[in-house]
Structure formats: structure tokens, C-alpha cells
Amino acid sequence: YVQVEQRRLGLGRPPWTSRDSPAAAVQQWDGLIAVNYAARAHGVKRGMRAADARKACPDITLVHVETISEGTEEMSVDHGEPLAPDRRTQKACLRRYRQASEEVFAVVQ
């Protein structure tokens, strides 16, 4: 997940698995669901709260997993801007990670 976000946002340069990459993590609501090696070197771990990760690694880039509103396949937006994630009315959308997985499999097959 983190490598997908690093590529999408232009954080660092390939290979995104390098410890030289900027510290980054993907969060869902307040918890981290994926952490890159650079952030792990600062003590950041999967499952950690976002605020605690920021204390351990002040320069970390935290990216919230894309969300969609219940009952729709569209990203949650308000006037063209993504809505702040709200766990009461939205759910995680793994579309961009599935697409990245398909790209990898296309290369190795």
C-alpha cells in the first residue's frame, strides 16, 4: 500500500522499498495499516495510532486510504474535493491497490 501511495504522490524515487525513501505510512481512520521501511527505522509500526507515529517520526507522510460512501462505487467528494474520511458513512476502497497488483502480475506473467 505504501509503495503505491509513494508512486502516486511522487514521494522519493524508485525503488520505493529503499530505506532512503521518505518515511511514509497508509492509515485507515486513526490506525496505520501499512508502514514503509524508512518509517519502521524510526519505530513506527503497523497498527500504531497516527498521532503516535507522528511523535515517533515527525517527518512521516501519512496518507489515508481512499474511501467511498456506502452504497456507491464513487470516491466520496464534496464540490469536487475528497471528503474527510468518516467511518460512520464511508468504507475503505482498495481499487488503487488492486490496480497496482494487476500491473505487477502483468509484468511477472
Side-chain angles (χ1 to χ4, degrees):
Y1 293 87
V2 179
Q3 292 174 16
V4 170
E5 296 301 344
Q6 285 181 274
R7 181 178 74 165
R8 183 177 72 86
L9 298 172
L11 300 174
R13 60 182 196 278
W16 288 286
T17 55
S18 168
R19 292 186 190 272
D20 296 336
S21 292
V26 175
Q27 68 182 91
Q28 183 174 350
W29 317 126
D30 189 39
L32 303 186
I33 60 172
V35 179
N36 73 356
Y37 291 117
R40 289 179 193 177
H42 292 276
V44 178
K45 298 179 180 174
R46 191 171 66 87
M48 185 179 262
R49 294 207 172 279
D52 294 335
R54 178 98 43 218
K55 287 177 190 172
C57 184
D59 294 332
I60 193 170
T61 298
L62 298 175
V63 182
H64 197 283
V65 68
E66 180 181 7
T67 59
I68 57 175
S69 294
E70 292 183 68
T72 179
E73 289 299 315
E74 298 301 317
M75 190 172 93
S76 303
V77 296
D78 180 28
H79 305 293
E81 294 297 318
L83 289 173
D86 182 348
R87 68 178 355 150
R88 294 171 296 152
T89 60
Q90 298 173 325
K91 63 181 183 177
C93 175
L94 304 179
R95 179 179 16 220
R96 71 174 56 127
Y97 311 115
R98 288 184 181 122
Q99 181 179 356
S101 176
E102 290 171 5
E103 291 174 21
V104 170
F105 278 105
V107 171
V108 296
Q109 289 182 345

